[in-house]
Amino acid sequence: MRVKYMYAKKCHDRPDGNCQFVACNGSSGLGLYSRPFIESFEETPMLVAVLTYMGYGILTIFGYLRDFLRDWKIERCHIAREREEQRDFVPLYQDFENFYTRNLYMRIRDSWNRPICSVPGAKMDLVERVSPDYNWTFDYTGKVVEGVINMGSYNYLGFAENTGYCADASAEVTMKYGVGVASTRQEMGNLDRHEEMEELVAKFLGVESAMAFGMGFATNSMNIPALTGKGCLILSDELNHASLVLGARLSGSTIRVFKHNNMQSLEKMLRDAIVHGQPRTHRPWKKILILVEGIYSMEGSIVRLPEVIALKKRYRAYLYLDEAHSIGALGPGGRGVVDYFGLDPRDVDVMMGTFTKSFGAAGGYIGGRKELMEYLRSHSHSAVYAASMSPPVVEQIIASMKCIMGEDGTTLGRDRVQQLAENTLYFRRKLTEMGFIIYGNNDSPVVPMMLYMPAKIGAFGREMLKRNIGVVVVGFPATPIIESRARFCISAAHTKDMLDTVTIPPMLGLYPLSPPSPPPRTQTSRAGRYTVFYDIPVLMQGPV
């Protein structure tokens, strides 16, 4: 058994057979964590990995056979391709990407992009569709599949609804302001509601100032280039979202990727950056920016923020925290991963998040020091050129945020935050008892359940829909080729009966890889292949 956290005390065997590691911060005995931090990532079993590769191999062989038949006009090809007179042109598509789309993805395309014709709440209505040509095209039957349990939306606090306090407030603002501003914030599109929203966001986060943007993806991809440039170094988690990756690439900065949630990997890169400086010239970096997420949407893991902040302070770097999935979904007050760990928001230089999930709205925000916000207002492309947020969307954000903060005069928001935490623990425990392999942190409302084999991706989604359960299934290239999964997103709007319906074995119709058994003595972590049962894990000795 190997533990890659420094200064870990001896492992104490507990009566239940689990192994728990307790670490201390030098001689003081004070850890960086004030609560248990439990995550599990079980490696793909060897037999399952072999069978998965065999499945993809068989699909690939049959794909090349079908391409041969299409070239000889024996089988009709439905996919768009270059005309005969353009054969000497540079192809529009890379060969393997096109091959994968028409021969693998197309076989299970019906598992995605299902049209919804209702509010995506705890239950939703889907438009029924059929395909006469094996998912190349879809026909709508005119029927509606009603009452589908929604296990795929990021509606963490249940604010995606068309009735209630938030909906009424948005409707009232629509009558006064209309549905669009038709201008940028710097020209004629700055409303009093925008100002109020940004002040409320800053108060909610506990920072000096905040500013909002109309698109969550652009909040990352357009603001990171405004913060760093040539001569700067970006240290990015290997599982960061595409918006963070794109923003880092557009910035022109040097990018180095550290292993997911692995503080040893991050510290090594920080140390090397300080010692060696820039390539060739060895001059000091102008800035070192660490990019991490609060909750990783494909893994269900939570960032080790206390350790990241400790490293950031020790090596005098800057920290950019993306709380798209954690804001509203973590912490006793719903204030995200900073609230979850009980940290000071001022220790995070750039606090980013989105309104598209917990708040049931659209857009994103950045919070931090007032000087930073003033700089971004004049240098960020999203702030200068993008249209203002729609007034009813702004009001939805204000109303839902006030509800979470308790400023609406009720305890509805706090009750939803608590209900989400309870639903998350209950659902994860049920899946574990059934023997399924699930990833992530115990407190993460994102619950990946491993499927592995390509045939199970489409089969799982279809079988669940037959039972009026809507789920998201994910496979290659969104995940590693041997780690296909179904991703459940828990909501405060889910009732215990709904969660029981999803997890009752006869309803599920699919069986785990092995019978239920007690948790193993060790569970493997992707962030260095070590046991992940902690009480107070720490990173280093001495003052930070």
PDB file of all heavy atoms in Angstrom, residues 66 76 78 106 109 130-139:
ATOM      1  N   ARG A  66     -17.905  -1.869 -43.930  1.00  0.00           N
ATOM      2  CA  ARG A  66     -19.020  -1.084 -44.451  1.00  0.00           C
ATOM      3  C   ARG A  66     -18.518   0.020 -45.377  1.00  0.00           C
ATOM      4  O   ARG A  66     -19.155   0.343 -46.387  1.00  0.00           O
ATOM      5  CB  ARG A  66     -19.832  -0.493 -43.292  1.00  0.00           C
ATOM      6  CG  ARG A  66     -20.521  -1.553 -42.438  1.00  0.00           C
ATOM      7  CD  ARG A  66     -21.179  -0.921 -41.225  1.00  0.00           C
ATOM      8  NE  ARG A  66     -22.388  -0.215 -41.614  1.00  0.00           N
ATOM      9  CZ  ARG A  66     -23.606  -0.744 -41.574  1.00  0.00           C
ATOM     10  NH1 ARG A  66     -23.763  -1.997 -41.169  1.00  0.00           N
ATOM     11  NH2 ARG A  66     -24.650  -0.048 -41.933  1.00  0.00           N
ATOM     12  N   ARG A  76     -25.546   2.216 -49.258  1.00  0.00           N
ATOM     13  CA  ARG A  76     -25.709   3.654 -49.421  1.00  0.00           C
ATOM     14  C   ARG A  76     -25.040   4.394 -48.266  1.00  0.00           C
ATOM     15  O   ARG A  76     -25.166   4.001 -47.107  1.00  0.00           O
ATOM     16  CB  ARG A  76     -27.192   4.018 -49.474  1.00  0.00           C
ATOM     17  CG  ARG A  76     -27.456   5.509 -49.666  1.00  0.00           C
ATOM     18  CD  ARG A  76     -28.938   5.798 -49.639  1.00  0.00           C
ATOM     19  NE  ARG A  76     -29.198   7.222 -49.715  1.00  0.00           N
ATOM     20  CZ  ARG A  76     -30.395   7.774 -49.601  1.00  0.00           C
ATOM     21  NH1 ARG A  76     -31.459   6.991 -49.398  1.00  0.00           N
ATOM     22  NH2 ARG A  76     -30.553   9.080 -49.681  1.00  0.00           N
ATOM     23  N   HIS A  78     -24.935   7.785 -46.127  1.00  0.00           N
ATOM     24  CA  HIS A  78     -25.794   8.927 -45.842  1.00  0.00           C
ATOM     25  C   HIS A  78     -25.022  10.162 -45.410  1.00  0.00           C
ATOM     26  O   HIS A  78     -25.583  11.259 -45.408  1.00  0.00           O
ATOM     27  CB  HIS A  78     -26.773   8.553 -44.716  1.00  0.00           C
ATOM     28  CG  HIS A  78     -27.682   7.419 -45.070  1.00  0.00           C
ATOM     29  ND1 HIS A  78     -28.908   7.587 -45.669  1.00  0.00           N
ATOM     30  CD2 HIS A  78     -27.536   6.076 -44.900  1.00  0.00           C
ATOM     31  CE1 HIS A  78     -29.485   6.421 -45.849  1.00  0.00           C
ATOM     32  NE2 HIS A  78     -28.673   5.478 -45.392  1.00  0.00           N
ATOM     33  N   MET A 106     -22.671   6.992 -34.903  1.00  0.00           N
ATOM     34  CA  MET A 106     -23.988   6.989 -35.529  1.00  0.00           C
ATOM     35  C   MET A 106     -24.858   5.828 -35.041  1.00  0.00           C
ATOM     36  O   MET A 106     -26.087   5.927 -35.008  1.00  0.00           O
ATOM     37  CB  MET A 106     -23.832   6.918 -37.049  1.00  0.00           C
ATOM     38  CG  MET A 106     -25.061   7.349 -37.819  1.00  0.00           C
ATOM     39  SD  MET A 106     -25.523   9.078 -37.517  1.00  0.00           S
ATOM     40  CE  MET A 106     -24.087   9.930 -38.143  1.00  0.00           C
ATOM     41  N   ARG A 109     -26.436   7.247 -31.774  1.00  0.00           N
ATOM     42  CA  ARG A 109     -26.745   8.676 -31.772  1.00  0.00           C
ATOM     43  C   ARG A 109     -28.098   8.974 -31.152  1.00  0.00           C
ATOM     44  O   ARG A 109     -28.355  10.091 -30.706  1.00  0.00           O
ATOM     45  CB  ARG A 109     -26.687   9.222 -33.207  1.00  0.00           C
ATOM     46  CG  ARG A 109     -26.724  10.737 -33.295  1.00  0.00           C
ATOM     47  CD  ARG A 109     -26.280  11.188 -34.666  1.00  0.00           C
ATOM     48  NE  ARG A 109     -27.275  10.907 -35.670  1.00  0.00           N
ATOM     49  CZ  ARG A 109     -28.071  11.839 -36.226  1.00  0.00           C
ATOM     50  NH1 ARG A 109     -27.975  13.093 -35.841  1.00  0.00           N
ATOM     51  NH2 ARG A 109     -28.941  11.520 -37.155  1.00  0.00           N
ATOM     52  N   VAL A 130     -38.363   8.334 -33.957  1.00  0.00           N
ATOM     53  CA  VAL A 130     -37.917   7.034 -34.464  1.00  0.00           C
ATOM     54  C   VAL A 130     -36.991   7.275 -35.637  1.00  0.00           C
ATOM     55  O   VAL A 130     -37.002   8.347 -36.264  1.00  0.00           O
ATOM     56  CB  VAL A 130     -39.115   6.158 -34.895  1.00  0.00           C
ATOM     57  CG1 VAL A 130     -39.995   5.815 -33.702  1.00  0.00           C
ATOM     58  CG2 VAL A 130     -39.932   6.859 -35.976  1.00  0.00           C
ATOM     59  N   SER A 131     -36.190   6.282 -35.934  1.00  0.00           N
ATOM     60  CA  SER A 131     -35.262   6.388 -37.058  1.00  0.00           C
ATOM     61  C   SER A 131     -35.471   5.214 -38.014  1.00  0.00           C
ATOM     62  O   SER A 131     -35.324   4.054 -37.613  1.00  0.00           O
ATOM     63  CB  SER A 131     -33.813   6.398 -36.555  1.00  0.00           C
ATOM     64  OG  SER A 131     -32.904   6.431 -37.640  1.00  0.00           O
ATOM     65  N   PRO A 132     -35.806   5.496 -39.274  1.00  0.00           N
ATOM     66  CA  PRO A 132     -35.987   4.415 -40.243  1.00  0.00           C
ATOM     67  C   PRO A 132     -34.686   3.934 -40.872  1.00  0.00           C
ATOM     68  O   PRO A 132     -34.681   2.944 -41.609  1.00  0.00           O
ATOM     69  CB  PRO A 132     -36.894   5.055 -41.297  1.00  0.00           C
ATOM     70  CG  PRO A 132     -36.525   6.503 -41.255  1.00  0.00           C
ATOM     71  CD  PRO A 132     -36.154   6.814 -39.839  1.00  0.00           C
ATOM     72  N   ASP A 133     -33.582   4.646 -40.616  1.00  0.00           N
ATOM     73  CA  ASP A 133     -32.316   4.318 -41.287  1.00  0.00           C
ATOM     74  C   ASP A 133     -31.151   4.248 -40.301  1.00  0.00           C
ATOM     75  O   ASP A 133     -30.062   4.750 -40.574  1.00  0.00           O
ATOM     76  CB  ASP A 133     -32.020   5.345 -42.382  1.00  0.00           C
ATOM     77  CG  ASP A 133     -32.143   6.781 -41.883  1.00  0.00           C
ATOM     78  OD1 ASP A 133     -32.255   6.958 -40.648  1.00  0.00           O
ATOM     79  OD2 ASP A 133     -32.123   7.706 -42.706  1.00  0.00           O
ATOM     80  N   TYR A 134     -31.405   3.654 -39.151  1.00  0.00           N
ATOM     81  CA  TYR A 134     -30.353   3.395 -38.164  1.00  0.00           C
ATOM     82  C   TYR A 134     -29.646   4.680 -37.715  1.00  0.00           C
ATOM     83  O   TYR A 134     -28.419   4.781 -37.750  1.00  0.00           O
ATOM     84  CB  TYR A 134     -29.334   2.387 -38.709  1.00  0.00           C
ATOM     85  CG  TYR A 134     -29.939   1.090 -39.122  1.00  0.00           C
ATOM     86  CD1 TYR A 134     -30.197   0.826 -40.468  1.00  0.00           C
ATOM     87  CD2 TYR A 134     -30.298   0.125 -38.190  1.00  0.00           C
ATOM     88  CE1 TYR A 134     -30.782  -0.375 -40.872  1.00  0.00           C
ATOM     89  CE2 TYR A 134     -30.882  -1.073 -38.582  1.00  0.00           C
ATOM     90  CZ  TYR A 134     -31.123  -1.307 -39.913  1.00  0.00           C
ATOM     91  OH  TYR A 134     -31.700  -2.490 -40.293  1.00  0.00           O
ATOM     92  N   ASN A 135     -30.444   5.654 -37.326  1.00  0.00           N
ATOM     93  CA  ASN A 135     -29.984   6.894 -36.684  1.00  0.00           C
ATOM     94  C   ASN A 135     -29.357   7.912 -37.637  1.00  0.00           C
ATOM     95  O   ASN A 135     -28.824   8.929 -37.175  1.00  0.00           O
ATOM     96  CB  ASN A 135     -28.987   6.606 -35.545  1.00  0.00           C
ATOM     97  CG  ASN A 135     -29.625   5.847 -34.408  1.00  0.00           C
ATOM     98  OD1 ASN A 135     -30.836   5.882 -34.210  1.00  0.00           O
ATOM     99  ND2 ASN A 135     -28.808   5.149 -33.634  1.00  0.00           N
ATOM    100  N   TRP A 136     -29.446   7.693 -38.933  1.00  0.00           N
ATOM    101  CA  TRP A 136     -28.971   8.732 -39.851  1.00  0.00           C
ATOM    102  C   TRP A 136     -29.941   9.909 -39.855  1.00  0.00           C
ATOM    103  O   TRP A 136     -29.528  11.069 -39.903  1.00  0.00           O
ATOM    104  CB  TRP A 136     -28.795   8.173 -41.265  1.00  0.00           C
ATOM    105  CG  TRP A 136     -27.626   7.243 -41.390  1.00  0.00           C
ATOM    106  CD1 TRP A 136     -27.646   5.888 -41.387  1.00  0.00           C
ATOM    107  CD2 TRP A 136     -26.246   7.615 -41.518  1.00  0.00           C
ATOM    108  NE1 TRP A 136     -26.366   5.384 -41.509  1.00  0.00           N
ATOM    109  CE2 TRP A 136     -25.495   6.426 -41.594  1.00  0.00           C
ATOM    110  CE3 TRP A 136     -25.577   8.834 -41.577  1.00  0.00           C
ATOM    111  CZ2 TRP A 136     -24.115   6.424 -41.720  1.00  0.00           C
ATOM    112  CZ3 TRP A 136     -24.191   8.837 -41.712  1.00  0.00           C
ATOM    113  CH2 TRP A 136     -23.476   7.645 -41.777  1.00  0.00           C
ATOM    114  N   THR A 137     -31.206   9.619 -39.825  1.00  0.00           N
ATOM    115  CA  THR A 137     -32.238  10.653 -39.743  1.00  0.00           C
ATOM    116  C   THR A 137     -33.283  10.219 -38.719  1.00  0.00           C
ATOM    117  O   THR A 137     -33.407   9.022 -38.411  1.00  0.00           O
ATOM    118  CB  THR A 137     -32.921  10.891 -41.103  1.00  0.00           C
ATOM    119  OG1 THR A 137     -33.559   9.673 -41.520  1.00  0.00           O
ATOM    120  CG2 THR A 137     -31.912  11.337 -42.159  1.00  0.00           C
ATOM    121  N   PHE A 138     -34.049  11.208 -38.211  1.00  0.00           N
ATOM    122  CA  PHE A 138     -35.082  10.930 -37.218  1.00  0.00           C
ATOM    123  C   PHE A 138     -36.420  11.491 -37.692  1.00  0.00           C
ATOM    124  O   PHE A 138     -36.480  12.564 -38.299  1.00  0.00           O
ATOM    125  CB  PHE A 138     -34.723  11.554 -35.861  1.00  0.00           C
ATOM    126  CG  PHE A 138     -33.551  10.908 -35.176  1.00  0.00           C
ATOM    127  CD1 PHE A 138     -32.302  11.512 -35.199  1.00  0.00           C
ATOM    128  CD2 PHE A 138     -33.693   9.696 -34.521  1.00  0.00           C
ATOM    129  CE1 PHE A 138     -31.222  10.919 -34.575  1.00  0.00           C
ATOM    130  CE2 PHE A 138     -32.619   9.095 -33.893  1.00  0.00           C
ATOM    131  CZ  PHE A 138     -31.386   9.706 -33.920  1.00  0.00           C
ATOM    132  N   ASP A 139     -37.474  10.744 -37.416  1.00  0.00           N
ATOM    133  CA  ASP A 139     -38.841  11.195 -37.674  1.00  0.00           C
ATOM    134  C   ASP A 139     -39.569  11.319 -36.342  1.00  0.00           C
ATOM    135  O   ASP A 139     -39.396  10.483 -35.439  1.00  0.00           O
ATOM    136  CB  ASP A 139     -39.588  10.201 -38.579  1.00  0.00           C
ATOM    137  CG  ASP A 139     -38.976  10.110 -39.968  1.00  0.00           C
ATOM    138  OD1 ASP A 139     -38.403  11.121 -40.420  1.00  0.00           O
ATOM    139  OD2 ASP A 139     -39.050   9.028 -40.578  1.00  0.00           O
TER     140      ASP A 139
END
